């Protein structure tokens, strides 16, 4: 029994910190899920506080895409702290992917739409989930989606639980700003959702390696690889927008839900079959050394504590740390190890110095450093065409190394007619608006700018003719 009310029946999942049980609510005669701390962690004030905050966060939210909380016990009277929740009949998306590997694009955008609806409710309550991943999305038999596990969700009252420089999350789905040690915002949840969508379409996460540090650094510095051409272009555009390196370039949860619902009704998306599983490309260790990760001075003491969650609705306990170069050198001195040889002529590139700048200026700056530059373009809605959104490799490298710069490009989408049609219907006008183009001749005696020529240049010519 948990307290005098809940009878534990079957353990459903267990992790390093907690466990989830199917239980009977003897007072209301219903089946529930009980999440409780493991005995060895039941006395930890930090874990007890996290469970209490999870209960408060869930109690403050009410949405069909979120698991409902019923009760909470603080663990007094020799009881372990526990959280009583809605028992969801379904399986984690991670289990679905383990069986099917890839999903049809229409099913993927449906999952994205529902998850974004839930995140919109979470973000409206000034909360950030911080651990969006397939294991935390439960798929019910009717296809509906439920977001679970708010054990590391962040709200104003959780600031004291996160140590300076600590980042919590799962490396495979970690947002770039989380990997860099910056503050966590709702945009981080949307990046993780984009990575989930990428995995559903490609059959694997975008970055994989036995070294979790290399995966996190890849998310920080490298654009997510392009999806195959078999994925419809509108779906690829949505995923690329969600996984933009710049948090400001990502659409918010409300916009994502609307975007994904439109794609769900697109005939081309509905007809697309599941794609093949992409071959795994092992991520190289950053800068050729998994321990020494070049970083800007204000991040050299960064400590990344990444808590991995073992199962849906369950807080995990595993973690890993990224040590600064100075700490690594100190450890090598203690063990008698010698640092690896470095090329004589090297330069150091911090990709954050170039994000958001114009492509031509970035190319010139890198060439002045003695580097070769290769340019690739990606569709990033919300970013001006020609704006740099990614750069790889980064860190210390030899002069003459080829650096790939990723720049945003514009994608023509049919979204504008949707907005115009809605506006027309509200005013009682036609559902198909008519556009009239009027060509007016230039006034006599005034020079006309050549096609494609900036207006300022044309004005300059007119002043010159006037002097003649």
């Amino acid at each position: 029994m948990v307290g005098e009310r809940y009878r534990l029946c079957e353990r459903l999942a267990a992790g390093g910190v907690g466990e989830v049980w199917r239980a009977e609510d003897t007072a209301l005669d219903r089946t529930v899920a009980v999440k409780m701390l493991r005995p060895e962690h039941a006395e930890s004030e930090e874990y007890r506080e996290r469970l209490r905050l999870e209960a408060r966060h869930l109690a403050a939210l009410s949405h069909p895409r979120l698991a409902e909380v019923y009760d909470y016990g603080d663990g007094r009277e020799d009881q372990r702290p526990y959280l009583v929740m809605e028992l969801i009949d379904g399986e984690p998306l991670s289990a679905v992917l383990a069986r099917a590997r890839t999903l049809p694009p229409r099913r993927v955008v449906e999952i994205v739409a529902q998850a974004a609806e839930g995140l919109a409710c979470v973000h409206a309550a000034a909360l950030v989930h911080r651990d969006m991943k397939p294991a935390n999305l439960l798929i019910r038999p009717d296809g509906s989606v439920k977001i679970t596990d708010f054990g590391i969700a962040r709200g104003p009252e959780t600031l004291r639980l996160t140590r300076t420089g600590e980042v919590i999350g799962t490396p495979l789905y970690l947002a770039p700003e989380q990997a860099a040690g910056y503050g966590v915002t709702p945009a981080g949840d949307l990046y993780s959702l984009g990575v989930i969508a990428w995995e559903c379409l490609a059959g694997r996460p975008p970055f994989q390696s036995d070294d979790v540090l290399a995966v996190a650094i890849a998310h920080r510095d490298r654009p997510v690889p392009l999806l195959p051409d078999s994925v419809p272009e509108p779906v690829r555009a949505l995923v690329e927008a969600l996984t933009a390196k710049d948090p400001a370039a990502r659409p918010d949860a409300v916009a994502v839900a609307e975007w994904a619902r439109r794609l769900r009704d697109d005939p081309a998306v509905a007809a697309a079959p599941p794609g093949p599983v992409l071959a795994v490309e092992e991520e190289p260790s950053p800068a050729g050394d998994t321990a020494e990760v070049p970083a800007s001075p204000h991040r050299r003491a960064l400590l990344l504590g990444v808590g991995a969650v073992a199962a849906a609705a369950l807080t995990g306990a595993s973690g890993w740390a990224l040590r600064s170069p100075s700490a690594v050198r100190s450890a090598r001195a203690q063990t008698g190890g010698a640092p690896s040889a470095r090329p004589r002529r090297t330069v150091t590139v911090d990709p954050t110095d170039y994000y958001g700048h114009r492509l031509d200026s970035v190319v010139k700056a890198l060439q002045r450093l003695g580097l070769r530059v290769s340019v690739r373009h990606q569709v990033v809605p919300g970013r001006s065409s020609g704006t740099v959104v990614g750069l790889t490799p980064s860190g210390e490298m030899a002069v003459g190394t080829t650096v790939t710069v990723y720049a945003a490009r514009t994608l023509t989408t049919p979204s504008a007619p949707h907005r115009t049609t809605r506006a027309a219907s509200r005013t009682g006008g036609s559902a198909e608006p008519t556009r009239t183009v009027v060509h007016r001749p230039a006034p006599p005696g005034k020079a006309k700018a050549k096609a494609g020529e900036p207006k300022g240049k044309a004005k300059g010519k007119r002043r010159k003719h006037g002097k003649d």
Side-chain angles (χ1 to χ4, degrees):
M1 293 287 292
V2 177
E4 298 180 355
R5 177 172 176 175
Y6 304 102
R7 181 184 300 111
L8 300 181
C9 301
E10 176 188 6
R11 191 168 72 172
L12 302 176
V17 174
E19 51 191 24
V20 176
W21 288 74
R22 182 175 63 83
E24 294 297 328
D25 182 346
T26 59
L28 298 180
D29 192 22
R30 63 179 175 180
T31 304
V32 296
V34 173
K35 177 177 179 178
M36 57 200 311
L37 296 177
R38 295 175 68 94
E40 58 268 32
H41 297 297
E43 301 301 322
S44 168
E45 288 300 325
E46 179 178 350
Y47 289 129
R48 292 165 67 95
E49 180 70 357
R50 287 194 187 277
L51 186 65
R52 185 186 69 82
L53 289 176
E54 180 178 3
R56 291 190 60 183
H57 291 159
L58 284 171
L61 303 173
S62 178
H63 195 277
R65 305 299 171 216
L66 306 176
E68 187 176 357
V69 63
Y70 298 144
D71 195 5
Y72 167 75
D74 59 10
R76 295 177 182 175
E77 300 178 359
D78 297 326
Q79 297 274 346
R80 284 186 277 167
Y82 62 89
L83 173 61
V84 182
M85 301 178 295
E86 167 190 10
L87 180 64
I88 301 172
D89 179 20
E91 63 177 339
L93 178 59
S94 55
V96 176
L97 292 176
R99 183 173 61 252
R101 300 300 298 276
T102 62
L103 301 178
R106 188 183 189 281
R107 181 64 182 128
V108 175
V109 297
E110 176 64 34
I111 291 173
V112 169
Q114 294 190 45
E117 290 170 1
L119 286 176
C121 176
V122 173
H123 298 163
L127 296 174
V128 183
H129 188 281
R130 293 206 294 176
D131 198 24
M132 289 293 294
K133 60 183 180 181
N136 288 340
L137 293 179
L138 290 187
I139 311 299
R140 304 186 70 176
D142 63 359
S144 60
V145 176
K146 290 270 192 178
I147 302 175
T148 66
D149 202 340
F150 285 75
I152 61 173
R154 180 174 182 177
E157 73 274 42
T158 61
L159 294 176
R160 64 183 182 275
L161 292 179
T162 305
R163 291 177 288 273
T164 302
E166 181 186 55
V167 177
I168 296 178
T170 301
L172 288 174
Y173 310 94
L174 200 66
E177 59 271 22
Q178 287 180 271
Y182 294 124
V184 181
T185 67
D189 286 344
L190 275 304
Y191 180 92
S192 300
L193 181 59
V195 176
I196 293 170
W198 199 100
E199 180 177 353
C200 291
L201 294 164
R204 64 171 179 83
F207 301 117
Q208 288 182 285
S209 174
D210 292 335
D211 182 2
V212 292
L213 183 147
V215 174
I217 297 303
H219 277 296
R220 189 189 73 178
D221 295 342
R222 299 184 59 182
V224 171
L226 296 175
L227 286 164
D229 293 339
S230 59
V231 177
E233 174 69 11
V235 178
R236 280 187 281 144
L238 171 61
V239 176
E240 288 175 2
L242 286 170
T243 54
K245 292 299 177 188
D246 184 355
R250 301 171 206 147
D252 62 25
V254 174
V256 170
E258 181 181 354
W259 189 352
R261 284 194 297 266
R262 287 204 311 267
L263 292 181
R264 178 192 58 194
D265 300 329
D266 186 328
V269 175
V277 178
L278 291 186
V280 176
E281 297 179 4
E282 189 78 4
E283 290 303 313
S285 299
D289 186 335
T290 58
E292 295 196 46
V293 181
S296 53
H298 66 282
R299 282 179 275 158
R300 289 194 180 277
L302 175 66
L303 177 66
L304 295 178
V306 183
V309 183
L314 193 61
T315 302
S318 61
W320 56 277
L322 167 60
R323 295 181 294 167
S324 65
S326 59
V328 173
R329 286 192 292 270
S330 174
R332 282 179 173 165
Q334 294 175 6
T335 58
S340 58
R342 296 286 185 187
R344 288 186 176 182
R345 297 186 60 203
T346 62
V347 293
T348 300
V349 175
D350 184 348
T352 59
D353 293 338
Y354 302 98
Y355 292 163
H357 293 275
R358 300 298 302 172
L359 175 63
D360 55 352
S361 63
V362 170
V363 170
K364 291 177 182 178
L366 294 173
Q367 289 174 339
R368 283 196 294 269
L369 293 176
L371 300 172
R372 298 176 181 176
V373 181
S374 172
V375 176
R376 293 185 62 180
H377 292 83
Q378 286 188 323
V379 176
V380 183
R383 299 293 292 185
S384 301
S385 182
T387 301
V388 172
V389 295
L391 186 153
T392 185
S394 62
E396 187 176 354
M397 64 191 74
V399 170
T401 299
T402 298
V403 176
T404 301
V405 176
Y406 295 83
R409 67 177 174 87
T410 302
L411 173 69
T412 302
T413 65
S415 57
H418 288 279
R419 291 193 296 269
T420 307
T421 301
R422 287 198 298 271
S425 63
R426 285 196 300 269
T427 58
S430 170
E432 296 294 335
T434 303
R435 178 182 296 178
T436 303
V437 180
V438 179
H439 298 281
R440 292 187 173 88
K446 291 199 173 183
K448 294 169 65 178
K450 295 180 181 179
E453 184 178 6
K455 294 181 179 179
K457 192 172 181 181
K459 290 180 180 178
K461 287 186 178 180
R462 288 199 295 272
R463 286 196 296 270
K464 183 177 180 181
H465 289 313
K467 289 182 180 180
D468 292 341

